[in-house]
Amino acid sequence: MQKGGTRMNVKEVVSHIPDYSCFMTVDELDASTFRLAEQYPDRVQVRCVGHSRQGHPIQLIQIGHGRKNALVFACPHPNEPIGALTVDFLTWELAANEALERELDYTWYFIKCIDIDGIKMNEGWFKGPFGITNYMHHYFRPAFRDQVEWTFPVEYKRLKFNSPIPETKVLMELIDALHPEFMFSLHNLGFGGAYWYMTKDMPELYPQFYEIVKEMGIPRKLGEAESPYAVSYAPAVFQMIRAKDSYDYTEKFTNKDPVAGHNFGTSSDDYANRDGERTTTFVCELPYFYSDKIDDVSFTDRDRSDVILESCDMKEKLDAKTRAIFEQAEALLDPDDNYYRRAVEEKLGSADAIEAQRAWAKSPECAGKATQAQVFDNLYVMRYFRCTNLCLLVRAIDLELERAEKRGFTPEQVATLKKAHEDALATLDAECAYLEENMHYQITPVRNLVTAQAGCGLLAAEYVSSHS
């Protein structure tokens, strides 16, 4: 990993990563933070910088006295806890390794978990068993308007949003106070391969990124990009996505108003650079589950456009099943405080996105034969992600059944909820069985995930430090 003039021995640093075998709960993360501050009182400062919507303190960990500022935050999406372990490791390593801290020349600011409430709603799968079915049955990811990463203020053309949630406000205040040269937003994905986002092109680093994930047994995502409008710097490496990109894509490929139904904002990267490019944001996406098909770039005999259109058909069919069950229970699912309902309702309102994808599939951009990776992405990985809507629906109904007496539901209403729950759970189980049988996936060891994310992050941090 020590190539291209890199001074820091990344391989040696990441060799110190503990043998993480599962994910840490919020309580475990907090306990580790306070042990760190107690063990290194002269090196580590911990202070509360705000509270979650449910009132849990958000702790900021400060380490070092470098000339530049680095802001690192994990769990901007609550189904993505790899970053919390990455931060846990980096904070302990930088506190103990003064030479590394001086070499990187940052004052570090860490938040182990920015969406604390959402993380607690995912903790059911954190200790295993690790696999698609258990993950799906305990999964939660909020609607865009409830996400930390996508409720930063933005104004673009006719798009205006200025309703950041409390956790987003915490990050806004830190970004405005620190003007960080380097920002590490710690994301990951459920199924797929490794890929990276960054504010600017850093081509010297890409061979090193590729080597790190290869050593950890993680394939690169070489099929379809996460978003059709993502700008590629290199295979599996993309420019950071911002709200304007989605707006322009919708405007180009549909006759729909890009603002209609758009009730969320932009990203932390966009907010940090709203007055000019002053912050380099870095994201390293890594999968819990993967298949060998993810990086198979050999061509099939299928047209890529046809494969994308088949994927659209699949999503519409699965959405129709989910919507029919949702409508059974809709009147009994609280639209204000049932965050599962808010999330699944938003997902079921994504017909415009499918329409745009159909138009994009017929454009010259999608001409030619599909690779094995592209076929697998479209027909299986997309089905996996669509299946999460069923999980959200099951949990939305679960919540109302748990508080049926408190809400004063009649026996008839409870029976309606139970029937919808039975239908949703049966459909979810059938989808999970299909995915388990057909995806032929492997599970990435947790320590490998943290090693890859920490290693790539340290390389990016060093690069930004030496070029600013």
Side-chain angles (χ1 to χ4, degrees):
M1 299 178 192
Q2 194 170 3
K3 294 181 178 180
T6 301
R7 294 169 296 148
M8 175 179 55
N9 190 331
V10 175
K11 184 174 288 189
E12 179 182 352
V13 174
V14 299
S15 72
H16 304 158
I17 292 175
D19 188 19
Y20 295 119
S21 59
C22 59
F23 297 101
M24 296 171 72
T25 65
V26 169
D27 289 344
E28 290 169 339
L29 291 167
D30 283 346
S32 180
T33 294
F34 294 125
R35 285 197 306 271
L36 176 72
E38 183 177 353
Q39 186 165 332
Y40 296 97
D42 298 329
R43 304 262 307 138
V44 177
Q45 299 175 41
V46 177
R47 68 179 188 273
C48 175
V49 288
H51 292 80
S52 73
R53 281 159 287 179
Q54 297 298 320
H56 192 98
I58 299 171
Q59 307 293 349
L60 180 73
I61 304 168
Q62 180 178 338
I63 301 174
H65 302 283
R67 293 178 300 160
K68 295 170 282 290
N69 289 332
L71 176 60
V72 184
F73 56 93
C75 309
H77 294 128
N79 60 310
E80 301 176 356
I82 297 171
L85 295 184
T86 300
V87 171
D88 187 66
F89 162 69
L90 289 174
T91 52
W92 282 93
E93 180 67 17
L94 287 165
N97 192 339
E98 293 186 48
L100 176 63
E101 180 254 303
R102 286 196 302 271
E103 180 181 341
L104 292 170
D105 199 21
Y106 288 108
T107 302
W108 293 89
Y109 299 86
F110 294 97
I111 294 177
K112 287 186 179 178
C113 179
I114 189 63
D115 188 352
I116 293 171
D117 302 338
I119 280 288
K120 289 183 176 182
M121 295 161 77
N122 275 279
E123 288 179 348
W125 62 267
F126 279 12
K127 304 304 181 184
F130 295 113
I132 287 175
T133 300
N134 192 49
Y135 176 75
M136 289 291 183
H137 281 77
H138 298 93
Y139 166 94
F140 171 68
R141 184 183 178 98
F144 274 102
R145 67 185 184 276
D146 299 316
Q147 292 182 14
V148 179
E149 186 64 272
W150 287 105
T151 52
F152 286 84
V154 64
E155 287 192 21
Y156 178 69
K157 295 183 178 177
R158 293 187 301 102
L159 173 61
K160 292 185 179 181
F161 178 88
N162 192 20
S163 299
I165 60 176
E167 295 88 342
T168 304
K169 289 180 181 178
V170 168
L171 291 180
M172 289 168 59
E173 290 172 1
L174 287 171
I175 290 169
D176 291 344
L178 301 174
H179 303 299
E181 280 83 359
F182 178 67
M183 189 160 68
F184 196 3
S185 179
L186 289 151
H187 292 259
N188 66 257
L189 67 154
F191 199 111
Y195 59 105
W196 299 264
Y197 286 112
M198 55 203 71
T199 307
K200 61 185 179 183
D201 197 6
M202 297 186 281
E204 299 95 319
L205 295 183
Y206 306 154
Q208 297 175 74
F209 294 163
Y210 297 164
E211 181 183 349
I212 289 173
V213 296
K214 182 178 180 181
E215 288 184 0
M216 292 300 105
I218 304 169
R220 288 178 290 160
K221 179 177 170 60
L222 298 180
E224 300 290 356
E226 181 182 32
S227 299
Y229 43 82
V231 175
S232 176
Y233 287 140
V237 183
F238 304 94
Q239 185 179 57
M240 288 295 301
I241 292 173
R242 298 174 178 178
K244 68 179 183 63
D245 303 316
S246 174
Y247 186 110
D248 291 342
Y249 171 77
T250 303
E251 190 173 49
K252 178 178 179 180
F253 288 107
T254 74
N255 295 320
K256 306 293 184 181
D257 180 358
V259 176
H262 191 112
N263 56 2
F264 56 94
T266 194
S267 66
S268 54
D269 171 71
D270 201 3
Y271 180 79
N273 291 300
R274 65 196 184 279
D275 297 324
E277 303 289 340
R278 64 185 183 189
T279 296
T280 299
T281 302
F282 179 71
V283 171
C284 177
E285 298 266 14
L286 299 164
Y288 310 123
F289 318 117
Y290 67 91
S291 162
D292 292 339
K293 296 283 189 182
I294 289 295
D295 60 354
D296 186 345
V297 294
S298 61
F299 285 102
T300 68
D301 59 358
R302 299 201 58 185
D303 289 338
R304 183 182 175 205
S305 59
D306 290 343
V307 175
I308 296 171
L309 292 171
E310 184 178 339
S311 178
C312 290
D313 291 342
M314 174 273 295
K315 287 185 283 191
E316 287 178 338
K317 289 177 182 177
L318 192 51
D319 283 358
K321 289 182 183 179
T322 308
R323 186 176 294 105
I325 302 169
F326 174 76
E327 288 172 354
Q328 292 180 43
E330 182 177 4
L332 302 174
L333 305 178
D334 193 300
D336 296 320
D337 71 348
N338 189 325
Y339 285 93
Y340 304 109
R341 178 222 161 107
R342 288 159 68 98
V344 73
E345 189 172 33
E346 178 186 81
K347 294 290 188 182
L348 292 175
S350 62
D352 289 353
I354 296 177
E355 178 184 339
Q357 190 174 28
R358 285 189 181 279
W360 174 70
K362 298 171 185 176
S363 72
E365 296 177 42
C366 299
K369 297 298 181 182
T371 64
Q372 293 284 357
Q374 288 168 338
V375 171
F376 189 79
D377 257 338
N378 278 293
L379 302 187
Y380 294 98
V381 178
M382 289 301 102
R383 187 162 183 160
Y384 163 93
F385 283 113
R386 221 62 178 187
C387 185
T388 60
N389 298 346
L390 284 162
C391 176
L392 293 169
L393 179 54
V394 170
R395 298 193 71 181
I397 301 169
D398 274 338
L399 177 59
E400 301 303 357
L401 284 171
E402 290 171 7
R403 59 188 187 183
E405 183 176 352
K406 181 179 179 181
R407 291 196 60 195
F409 287 154
T410 66
E412 292 77 16
Q413 289 173 320
V414 171
T416 296
L417 284 172
K418 287 182 176 179
K419 176 61 168 63
H421 184 270
E422 179 183 329
D423 292 346
L425 187 58
T427 308
L428 174 63
D429 286 341
E431 283 297 310
C432 285
Y434 176 87
L435 296 172
E436 293 279 6
E437 182 178 353
N438 290 282
M439 295 193 83
H440 307 293
Y441 67 93
Q442 298 180 58
I443 301 166
T444 315
V446 175
R447 189 183 186 279
N448 290 20
L449 295 168
V450 178
T451 299
Q453 194 170 66
C456 291
L458 286 168
L459 286 170
E462 183 193 46
Y463 180 93
V464 172
S465 180
S466 63
H467 288 74
S468 61

